[in-house]
Amino acid sequence: MILALKKYMSRLPEKIWFRAMLFSVGAIATAAAAEWVGPLIPYEADLEIASGSVGDILTILASSMLAVITFSVSIMVSAYGSATSTATPRTIALMLADDRSQNALSTFLGTFLFSIVGIIGLSSGYYDDRGRIILFFATIAVIVIISGTLINWIQQLSTFGRMNDLIARVEQATSKALRWHGQHPYLNAQPPVEIPDGALPISCDIASGVVTSIDMSRLQEAAKQQDVTVYLTIHPGKLIYPARPLIYLSGAGAKAADLQPFRDAILVEHDRSFDQDPRFGLVVLSEIASRALSPAVNDPGTAISVLDSGLRCFEVLAEASAEPEDAKYSRVHGPEMEVEDLFTDFFIKIARDGAAMVEVQQRIQLCLLALAKSWPDLFAVAATEASRDALARALDTIVHKPDIKDLKARSQKVVDSSDG
């Protein structure tokens, strides 16, 4: 429950309603506070014309913001639908968490409520002369803010939900997760070892689901308190079910251990997330490429763009893995993230769906060669296996002999780089 609450709180800033609520509360407070701030002015300001026109300005703002909010929401819904049909529904979570669109919609809603509260205050005689002047200057400040937001929002609309924008969002989320895993191998715990005979398995006590978060500090604390060693067997993103062990416990306190603190450290939800699950990001990238390579779309250029994004993601992993941080949790042995699994999630699936497209197969071999040559210790073996698999799939469908010869030569370069 604690881990679920922490996860929920960490995701609050990504919720549109949360940011809109903060902006709205701030706007209402600003409009209401004008009357309280007025008496603090040490002099009589001669701005009767300005203070008298504030009602008209607020009326214009209220009516225009209502139209802008309606237009913005319709554009966002349309972009979400477009992303679902042209890319993959898994990208919607990243679009919903977009800062610029949330700020724009929240600012528009806050301005609308500020105007409504101001109009109500003026109509009810809530403001005195000084309060009207404060409200006037506050309105001018709101107009400046809303003007900048509108300009930024118009620029955002030119790319929001487009294919390149979606690929970039998934690449950024995937790179972030891969960088963390590269810097913290084994989830910042000890390397995996053979589980001792007689170790106590701990399974999930709820229905099946997907591991989305593991609180390693809670596992370490529980292991220390109960004098056990924890052997973690699952990564975030793994499908679990009641018969599948999550962790194993060994040590003097294993038999009498309270199992609930260990279960509470592992959050199980219905859907995968990008936060701690780099494989999910690679899967989503491959889904975008697979959709582009379908006969209905037939867009190899998008698949090539996805391959380039994947290459940059693997480069981030390699750079982060070159300087890993020291393990932080001494009583926990974490799982190893296999490079072969990452390549399967990404390259093999694109090779399968793009088997008949020479340009896609060429780019796959080129990306594999780049990884194998640049970081042979990390990627050479997996790149060789993926290269051979992609070549075999291509040979099953491509019949043009020059294309076959070219792909064989490219694949041989990957194999040679591994042997060297």
CSV table of all heavy atoms in Angstrom, one decimal, residues 229-252:
chain,number,residue,atom,x,y,z
A,229,THR,N,18.8,-12.8,3.5
A,229,THR,CA,19.3,-12.3,2.2
A,229,THR,C,18.2,-12.5,1.2
A,229,THR,O,17.6,-13.6,1.1
A,229,THR,CB,20.5,-13.1,1.8
A,229,THR,OG1,21.6,-12.9,2.8
A,229,THR,CG2,21.1,-12.6,0.5
A,230,VAL,N,18.0,-11.5,0.4
A,230,VAL,CA,16.9,-11.5,-0.6
A,230,VAL,C,17.5,-11.8,-2.0
A,230,VAL,O,18.5,-11.2,-2.4
A,230,VAL,CB,16.2,-10.2,-0.7
A,230,VAL,CG1,15.1,-10.2,-1.7
A,230,VAL,CG2,15.6,-9.9,0.7
A,231,TYR,N,16.9,-12.7,-2.7
A,231,TYR,CA,17.3,-13.0,-4.1
A,231,TYR,C,16.1,-12.6,-5.0
A,231,TYR,O,15.1,-13.3,-5.1
A,231,TYR,CB,17.6,-14.5,-4.3
A,231,TYR,CG,18.7,-15.0,-3.3
A,231,TYR,CD1,18.4,-15.4,-2.1
A,231,TYR,CD2,20.1,-14.9,-3.7
A,231,TYR,CE1,19.5,-15.8,-1.2
A,231,TYR,CE2,21.1,-15.3,-2.9
A,231,TYR,CZ,20.8,-15.8,-1.6
A,231,TYR,OH,21.8,-16.2,-0.8
A,232,LEU,N,16.3,-11.5,-5.7
A,232,LEU,CA,15.2,-11.0,-6.5
A,232,LEU,C,15.3,-11.6,-7.9
A,232,LEU,O,16.3,-11.6,-8.5
A,232,LEU,CB,15.4,-9.4,-6.6
A,232,LEU,CG,14.2,-8.7,-7.3
A,232,LEU,CD1,12.9,-8.8,-6.6
A,232,LEU,CD2,14.6,-7.2,-7.4
A,233,THR,N,14.2,-12.2,-8.4
A,233,THR,CA,14.2,-13.0,-9.6
A,233,THR,C,13.4,-12.3,-10.8
A,233,THR,O,13.4,-12.8,-11.9
A,233,THR,CB,13.6,-14.3,-9.4
A,233,THR,OG1,12.2,-14.2,-8.9
A,233,THR,CG2,14.4,-15.1,-8.4
A,234,ILE,N,12.9,-11.1,-10.5
A,234,ILE,CA,12.1,-10.5,-11.5
A,234,ILE,C,12.5,-9.0,-11.7
A,234,ILE,O,13.0,-8.4,-10.8
A,234,ILE,CB,10.5,-10.5,-11.2
A,234,ILE,CG1,10.3,-10.2,-9.7
A,234,ILE,CG2,10.0,-11.9,-11.5
A,234,ILE,CD1,10.0,-8.7,-9.5
A,235,HIS,N,12.3,-8.6,-13.0
A,235,HIS,CA,12.6,-7.2,-13.3
A,235,HIS,C,11.2,-6.5,-13.4
A,235,HIS,O,10.2,-7.1,-13.7
A,235,HIS,CB,13.2,-7.1,-14.7
A,235,HIS,CG,14.7,-6.8,-14.7
A,235,HIS,ND1,15.2,-5.7,-14.2
A,235,HIS,CD2,15.8,-7.6,-15.1
A,235,HIS,CE1,16.5,-5.7,-14.3
A,235,HIS,NE2,16.9,-6.8,-14.9
A,236,PRO,N,11.2,-5.1,-13.3
A,236,PRO,CA,10.0,-4.4,-13.7
A,236,PRO,C,9.6,-4.7,-15.1
A,236,PRO,O,10.5,-4.7,-16.0
A,236,PRO,CB,10.4,-2.9,-13.5
A,236,PRO,CG,11.5,-3.0,-12.4
A,236,PRO,CD,12.2,-4.2,-12.7
A,237,GLY,N,8.4,-4.9,-15.3
A,237,GLY,CA,7.9,-5.3,-16.7
A,237,GLY,C,7.5,-6.8,-16.8
A,237,GLY,O,6.9,-7.2,-17.8
A,238,LYS,N,8.0,-7.6,-15.8
A,238,LYS,CA,7.7,-9.0,-15.9
A,238,LYS,C,6.2,-9.3,-15.5
A,238,LYS,O,5.7,-8.7,-14.6
A,238,LYS,CB,8.6,-9.8,-14.9
A,238,LYS,CG,10.1,-9.8,-15.4
A,238,LYS,CD,10.2,-10.7,-16.6
A,238,LYS,CE,11.7,-10.9,-16.9
A,238,LYS,NZ,11.9,-11.8,-18.1
A,239,LEU,N,5.7,-10.3,-16.2
A,239,LEU,CA,4.3,-10.8,-15.9
A,239,LEU,C,4.5,-11.8,-14.7
A,239,LEU,O,5.3,-12.7,-14.8
A,239,LEU,CB,3.7,-11.5,-17.1
A,239,LEU,CG,2.4,-12.2,-16.8
A,239,LEU,CD1,1.3,-11.1,-16.6
A,239,LEU,CD2,2.0,-13.0,-18.0
A,240,ILE,N,3.7,-11.6,-13.7
A,240,ILE,CA,3.8,-12.5,-12.6
A,240,ILE,C,2.4,-13.0,-12.3
A,240,ILE,O,1.3,-12.5,-12.7
A,240,ILE,CB,4.3,-11.7,-11.3
A,240,ILE,CG1,3.5,-10.5,-10.9
A,240,ILE,CG2,5.7,-11.3,-11.5
A,240,ILE,CD1,2.4,-10.8,-9.9
A,241,TYR,N,2.3,-14.1,-11.6
A,241,TYR,CA,1.1,-14.8,-11.3
A,241,TYR,C,1.3,-15.5,-9.9
A,241,TYR,O,2.5,-15.7,-9.5
A,241,TYR,CB,0.7,-15.8,-12.4
A,241,TYR,CG,1.8,-16.6,-12.9
A,241,TYR,CD1,2.3,-17.8,-12.4
A,241,TYR,CD2,2.5,-16.1,-14.1
A,241,TYR,CE1,3.3,-18.5,-12.9
A,241,TYR,CE2,3.6,-16.8,-14.6
A,241,TYR,CZ,4.0,-18.0,-14.0
A,241,TYR,OH,5.0,-18.7,-14.6
A,242,PRO,N,0.3,-16.0,-9.3
A,242,PRO,CA,0.5,-16.6,-7.9
A,242,PRO,C,1.5,-17.7,-7.8
A,242,PRO,O,2.1,-17.8,-6.7
A,242,PRO,CB,-0.9,-17.0,-7.6
A,242,PRO,CG,-1.9,-16.2,-8.3
A,242,PRO,CD,-1.1,-15.9,-9.6
A,243,ALA,N,1.7,-18.4,-8.9
A,243,ALA,CA,2.6,-19.6,-8.8
A,243,ALA,C,4.1,-19.2,-9.1
A,243,ALA,O,4.9,-20.0,-9.0
A,243,ALA,CB,2.2,-20.7,-9.7
A,244,ARG,N,4.3,-17.9,-9.5
A,244,ARG,CA,5.6,-17.5,-9.9
A,244,ARG,C,6.3,-16.8,-8.7
A,244,ARG,O,5.8,-15.8,-8.3
A,244,ARG,CB,5.6,-16.6,-11.1
A,244,ARG,CG,7.0,-16.2,-11.6
A,244,ARG,CD,6.9,-15.4,-12.8
A,244,ARG,NE,8.2,-15.1,-13.4
A,244,ARG,CZ,8.4,-14.5,-14.5
A,244,ARG,NH1,7.4,-14.1,-15.3
A,244,ARG,NH2,9.7,-14.3,-15.0
A,245,PRO,N,7.4,-17.3,-8.2
A,245,PRO,CA,8.1,-16.6,-7.1
A,245,PRO,C,8.6,-15.2,-7.5
A,245,PRO,O,9.2,-15.1,-8.6
A,245,PRO,CB,9.3,-17.6,-6.8
A,245,PRO,CG,8.9,-18.9,-7.3
A,245,PRO,CD,8.1,-18.6,-8.6
A,246,LEU,N,8.4,-14.3,-6.7
A,246,LEU,CA,9.0,-12.9,-6.9
A,246,LEU,C,10.4,-12.9,-6.4
A,246,LEU,O,11.3,-12.3,-7.0
A,246,LEU,CB,8.1,-11.9,-6.2
A,246,LEU,CG,6.7,-11.8,-6.6
A,246,LEU,CD1,6.0,-10.8,-5.6
A,246,LEU,CD2,6.5,-11.4,-8.0
A,247,ILE,N,10.6,-13.4,-5.2
A,247,ILE,CA,11.9,-13.4,-4.5
A,247,ILE,C,12.1,-14.7,-3.7
A,247,ILE,O,11.2,-15.4,-3.5
A,247,ILE,CB,12.1,-12.1,-3.6
A,247,ILE,CG1,11.0,-12.2,-2.5
A,247,ILE,CG2,12.0,-10.8,-4.3
A,247,ILE,CD1,11.1,-11.1,-1.5
A,248,TYR,N,13.3,-14.9,-3.3
A,248,TYR,CA,13.7,-16.0,-2.4
A,248,TYR,C,14.4,-15.4,-1.2
A,248,TYR,O,15.1,-14.4,-1.4
A,248,TYR,CB,14.6,-17.0,-3.1
A,248,TYR,CG,13.9,-17.8,-4.2
A,248,TYR,CD1,13.8,-17.4,-5.5
A,248,TYR,CD2,13.4,-19.1,-3.9
A,248,TYR,CE1,13.1,-18.1,-6.5
A,248,TYR,CE2,12.8,-19.9,-4.9
A,248,TYR,CZ,12.7,-19.4,-6.1
A,248,TYR,OH,12.0,-20.2,-7.1
A,249,LEU,N,14.2,-16.0,-0.1
A,249,LEU,CA,14.8,-15.6,1.2
A,249,LEU,C,15.7,-16.8,1.7
A,249,LEU,O,15.3,-17.9,1.7
A,249,LEU,CB,13.8,-15.3,2.2
A,249,LEU,CG,12.8,-14.1,1.9
A,249,LEU,CD1,11.9,-13.9,3.1
A,249,LEU,CD2,13.5,-12.9,1.5
A,250,SER,N,16.8,-16.4,2.1
A,250,SER,CA,17.7,-17.4,2.8
A,250,SER,C,18.3,-16.7,4.0
A,250,SER,O,18.5,-15.5,4.1
A,250,SER,CB,18.8,-17.9,1.9
A,250,SER,OG,19.7,-16.9,1.6
A,251,GLY,N,18.7,-17.6,5.0
A,251,GLY,CA,19.4,-17.0,6.2
A,251,GLY,C,18.7,-17.5,7.4
A,251,GLY,O,17.7,-18.3,7.4
A,252,ALA,N,19.2,-17.1,8.5
A,252,ALA,CA,18.7,-17.6,9.8
A,252,ALA,C,17.3,-17.2,10.1
A,252,ALA,O,16.5,-18.0,10.7
A,252,ALA,CB,19.6,-17.0,11.0
